[in-house]
């Protein structure tokens, strides 16, 4: 294993970049939840307070770090950080301690926007739906000059999944200079 610990954004986004609405996902994709678990298991996982509120509990098998401006926020089984930078420092430390290769950033919109300029990789579930954007949380637009697709796998829609989807890996392009 290399000594570098990657920062990996893990996101499910509709074709129109919708990632959430009213504190929930705008679709039901049990197959993607299995993929999310496989992608994040064992790794420290960073999320914003509203994403935490939507999940409502620490997920087993990974350290949860919640970024919040509320200095009084506490939750069982959760680490708390006041800024994304502090969360990343803590996440890297936990990843090194646990011998894992990455820190997963799992939302929401504001945390993704702050993470994109510094992350190494994006694990995107591309949901083949276009829910209404009004009142929705959107994933920030990606600059194709900055990102290259390195893998794409058809999701294999299960009988309980509400949409087709692909699993897409994007890696940051090397900077010219």
């Amino acid at each position: 294993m290399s000594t570098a610990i990657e920062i990996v954004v893990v996101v499910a986004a509709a074709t129109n970049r919708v990632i959430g609405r009213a504190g929930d996902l705008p679709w039901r994709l049990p197959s993607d939840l299995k993929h999310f678990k496989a992608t994040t298991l064992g790794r420290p996982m960073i999320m914003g307070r509203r994403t935490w509120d939507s999940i409502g509990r620490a997920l087993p098998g990974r350290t949860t770090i919640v970024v919040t401006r509320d200095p009084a926020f506490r939750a069982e089984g959760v680490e708390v950080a006041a800024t994304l930078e502090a969360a990343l420092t803590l996440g890297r430390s936990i990843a090194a301690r646990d011998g894992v290769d990455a820190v997963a950033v799992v939302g929401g919109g504001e945390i993704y926007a702050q993470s994109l300029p510094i992350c190494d990789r994006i694990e995107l579930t591309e949901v083949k739906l276009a829910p209404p954007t009004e009142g929705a949380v959107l994933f920030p637009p990606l600059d194709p000059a900055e990102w290259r697709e390195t893998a794409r796998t058809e999701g294999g829609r299960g009988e309980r999944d509400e949409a087709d989807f692909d699993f897409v890996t994007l890696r940051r392009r090397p900077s010219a200079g």
Side-chain angles (χ1 to χ4, degrees), residues 79-97:
E79 301 284 339
V80 179
T83 65
L84 177 63
E85 183 177 281
L88 289 169
T89 298
L90 178 58
R92 284 182 177 115
S93 173
I94 292 166
R97 176 198 74 199

Side-chain angles (χ1 to χ4, degrees), residues 75-119:
E76 187 176 334
V78 169
E79 301 284 339
V80 179
T83 65
L84 177 63
E85 183 177 281
L88 289 169
T89 298
L90 178 58
R92 284 182 177 115
S93 173
I94 292 166
R97 176 198 74 199
D98 294 349
V100 296
D101 60 352
V103 174
V105 177
V106 300
E110 188 176 326
I111 297 297
Y112 286 141
Q114 292 177 37
S115 300
L116 283 177
I118 57 173
C119 75

Side-chain angles (χ1 to χ4, degrees), residues 12-176:
T15 54
N16 60 355
R17 302 189 355 257
V18 169
I19 59 173
R21 165 176 273 103
D24 202 0
L25 297 172
W27 49 71
R28 294 286 168 252
L29 293 175
S31 298
D32 179 52
L33 294 177
K34 288 179 188 168
H35 175 75
F36 175 86
K37 181 178 181 180
T39 303
T40 61
L41 198 62
R43 296 183 167 120
M45 196 171 63
I46 297 171
M47 67 183 70
R49 171 70 183 270
R50 283 176 282 204
T51 300
W52 162 259
D53 288 344
S54 73
I55 296 171
R57 65 185 175 90
L59 298 176
R62 54 221 117 163
T63 302
T64 300
I65 304 166
V66 176
V67 179
T68 179
R69 294 179 196 99
D70 178 359
F73 175 78
R74 299 285 178 269
E76 187 176 334
V78 169
E79 301 284 339
V80 179
T83 65
L84 177 63
E85 183 177 281
L88 289 169
T89 298
L90 178 58
R92 284 182 177 115
S93 173
I94 292 166
R97 176 198 74 199
D98 294 349
V100 296
D101 60 352
V103 174
V105 177
V106 300
E110 188 176 326
I111 297 297
Y112 286 141
Q114 292 177 37
S115 300
L116 283 177
I118 57 173
C119 75
D120 303 295
R121 178 169 44 111
I122 300 168
E123 291 298 333
L124 166 67
T125 300
E126 192 175 84
V127 182
K128 297 178 182 182
L129 288 176
T133 57
E134 187 176 326
V137 178
L138 302 180
F139 190 70
L142 296 175
D143 179 351
E146 235 181 290
W147 296 97
R148 65 185 166 86
E149 185 176 312
T150 60
R152 177 178 292 267
T153 306
E154 189 175 316
R157 183 175 181 170
E159 67 179 52
R160 293 177 35 228
D161 294 321
E162 293 180 353
D164 292 323
F165 54 93
D166 290 341
F167 298 124
V168 182
T169 299
L170 302 163
R171 291 203 173 267
R172 184 174 300 285
R173 292 181 188 277
S175 55

